[in-house]
Amino acid sequence: AQSVAQPEDQVNVAEGNPLTVKCTYSVSGNPYLFWYVQYPNRGLQFLLKYITGDNLVKGSYGFEAEFNKSQTSFHLKKPSALVSDSALYFCAVRDNNFNKFYFGSGTKLNVKP
Amino acid sequence: EAQVTQNPRYLITVTGKKLTVTCSQNMNHEYMSWYRQDPGLGLRQIYYSMNVEVTDKGDVPEGYKVSRKEKRNFPLILESPSPNQTSLYFCASSYGGAYNEQFFGPGTRLTVL
């Protein structure tokens, strides 16, 4: 069965420090992976995606993600966190057989000044 | 402005009273989808549509109906709402099928008493 796991409900980091938000997935075939961010009382916004090619994907607002096929992971990273990065982050995977999407449970990122 | 709109944004109703949540996009996207967001569960896909008159079940379709008569509109219908359908609902759309990033609406908070 297709699934996405975000093992951390919450990640706390100090402003200026690097951040990592973890995501692991289970999907048949080649994975199509996405990261989205949700600010309070807003819909989700796209950050980045991995379809094929380079394992390091760069996205919006300085975020990047590393695809690791052997570990079935797609961790979101940023070299230097900002207070304004505080939000809820979702990892998602597309089911290649049925055009369906599976989202993780979300990770709340808290960046403290 | 490119956007996905949903109406209403907030709705309180009673068990069994049929309701429709509308979704419209102005980007000429082929793919449209409905999700519900519940604490600790992330987003779960209810229904999706690859194009006009083509709809299919997501992960949690029970108790919901959809239609896609026009490319821009994808209404979500609850024929007989129940309290367990109290949730935050998001409509989303994407260009060219399910390979690309989705644009999300602002959400509809539904309470079923």
Side-chain angles (χ1 to χ4, degrees), chain B residues 39-57:
Chain B
L41 297 177
L43 274 76
R44 291 178 292 168
Q45 194 170 33
I46 303 170
Y47 269 95
Y48 65 95
S49 170
M50 293 295 290
N51 214 321
V52 177
E53 302 291 2
V54 181
T55 63
D56 213 339
K57 296 178 181 178

Side-chain angles (χ1 to χ4, degrees), chain B residues 1-65:
Chain B
E1 178 189 357
Q3 59 183 349
V4 178
T5 57
Q6 296 178 226
N7 283 291
R9 294 289 313 280
Y10 303 90
L11 179 60
I12 300 174
T13 189
V14 295
T15 299
K17 186 176 181 181
K18 181 179 179 180
L19 66 91
T20 299
V21 183
T22 64
C23 172
S24 183
Q25 51 93 5
N26 62 0
M27 296 168 280
N28 202 36
H29 285 169
E30 290 82 5
Y31 187 90
M32 296 188 74
S33 181
W34 276 102
Y35 299 89
R36 60 178 289 174
Q37 182 179 9
D38 301 289
L41 297 177
L43 274 76
R44 291 178 292 168
Q45 194 170 33
I46 303 170
Y47 269 95
Y48 65 95
S49 170
M50 293 295 290
N51 214 321
V52 177
E53 302 291 2
V54 181
T55 63
D56 213 339
K57 296 178 181 178
D59 217 28
V60 288
E62 296 78 18
Y64 304 95
K65 287 175 59 177

Side-chain angles (χ1 to χ4, degrees), chain B residues 88-109:
Chain B
L88 180 58
Y89 291 86
F90 288 102
C91 180
S93 70
S94 67
Y95 171 74
Y99 298 93
N100 295 313
E101 58 268 27
Q102 295 179 74
F103 290 78
F104 282 79
T108 294
R109 186 165 293 280

Side-chain angles (χ1 to χ4, degrees), chain A residues 32 34 36 38 41-46 49 51 88 90 94 98-106, chain B residues 9 31 35 37 40-43 45 48 50 57-59 88 90 98-102 104-106:
Chain A
Y32 290 73
F34 301 80
Y36 290 86
Q38 184 181 33
N41 301 313
R42 302 285 296 276
L44 279 70
Q45 297 177 30
F46 170 76
K49 68 181 177 183
I51 304 297
L88 189 56
F90 290 97
R94 174 179 172 267
F98 298 104
N99 295 308
K100 294 163 67 170
F101 283 89
Y102 294 89
F103 281 74
S105 54
Chain B
R9 294 289 313 280
Y31 187 90
Y35 299 89
Q37 182 179 9
L41 297 177
L43 274 76
Q45 194 170 33
Y48 65 95
M50 293 295 290
K57 296 178 181 178
D59 217 28
L88 180 58
F90 288 102
Y99 298 93
N100 295 313
E101 58 268 27
Q102 295 179 74
F104 282 79

